[in-house]
Each structure stands twice: as C-alpha cells, then as structure tokens.
Amino acid sequence: MSDFSTGANGVEFATIACGFLDPATGELSYASAGHPPALVVSPGGGVQWLDGGRSTPVGAVSLPCERSAASYRLGSGDLLILYSDGLVERRRESISTGLGRLESAARSRSALPIDQLGERLMMP
C-alpha cells in the first residue's frame, strides 16, 4: 500500500477529485476517485451535479481499476463548487441528504459575492 493512500486510523484509501479547465472555452475535463461530485451553480440558481468520470477511491482495491474522465462546459458566470466529503457526510444520515442540503444552500446563496459564499455554504 502506498504511503499516499494510508491515512489515520488504518484507513488505506484516499478520495481524489481532479479537473482541468480551459478558460478560453469553459470546457472542464474532470475525474473523481471516490470523491463526492462537484456542483455547478448557474447565475440564476440552477444546479448541475458533475457525476461523470467516477471510479473507486485510490487504494480501495488491490487490482488496477478503470479510471474514466468526463467533461462539462461551464457557462459565463457559472460557479464550480468543490468540497470536502466532511461537508456533506453526517453519521446516521444518508449521503443524499447531505448532498441535498448542499444543493439547497448553493441555490439560495448563489447571488452572494464569491468571497462570502464558501463561509455561508458551511453554515446552511
């Protein structure tokens, strides 16, 4: 097992999200190894989960596994939200509940100045 994926309490895997944005076209190429999906919020408050390009966490399986990528074209004024899984995961609560909470908070706060949005998303 790689030291890279060995963590606290004997956990031997890591989740990773990676993306490359072409600022000229707005084209985002991305992949996620077990990390929660990114969220895109449009200026009008519409949302799009980026749930393509998914694979298992790094170190979760001993055999090589297929890693795929996906793409999404960001529009003018779109906000890309990447976050730690700790923001949406709670004990005794489904992950879909936490994702719904983030989506609702992002929709309702989409008009905030960017320097205030991160702090407000952590306090839905």
Side-chain angles (χ1 to χ4, degrees), residues 76-98:
S76 177
D78 280 354
L79 175 66
L80 177 64
I81 300 175
L82 299 166
Y83 53 94
S84 165
D85 52 358
L87 182 67
V88 295
E89 291 180 348
R90 302 285 186 276
R91 290 183 185 191
R92 295 177 286 284
E93 180 179 272
S94 74
I95 188 69
S96 60
T97 299

Side-chain angles (χ1 to χ4, degrees), residues 9-32:
N9 301 322
V11 174
E12 294 187 349
F13 66 88
T15 66
I16 300 170
C18 181
F20 299 95
L21 176 65
D22 181 340
T25 66
E27 189 72 22
L28 174 69
S29 296
Y30 66 95
S32 173

Side-chain angles (χ1 to χ4, degrees), residues 1 5-6 17 40-41 43 46 56 60 62 65-66 75 86 97 111 120:
M1 180 59 52
S5 61
T6 302
V40 177
V41 183
T56 60
S62 58
C65 69
E66 184 75 22
T97 299
R120 298 287 176 90

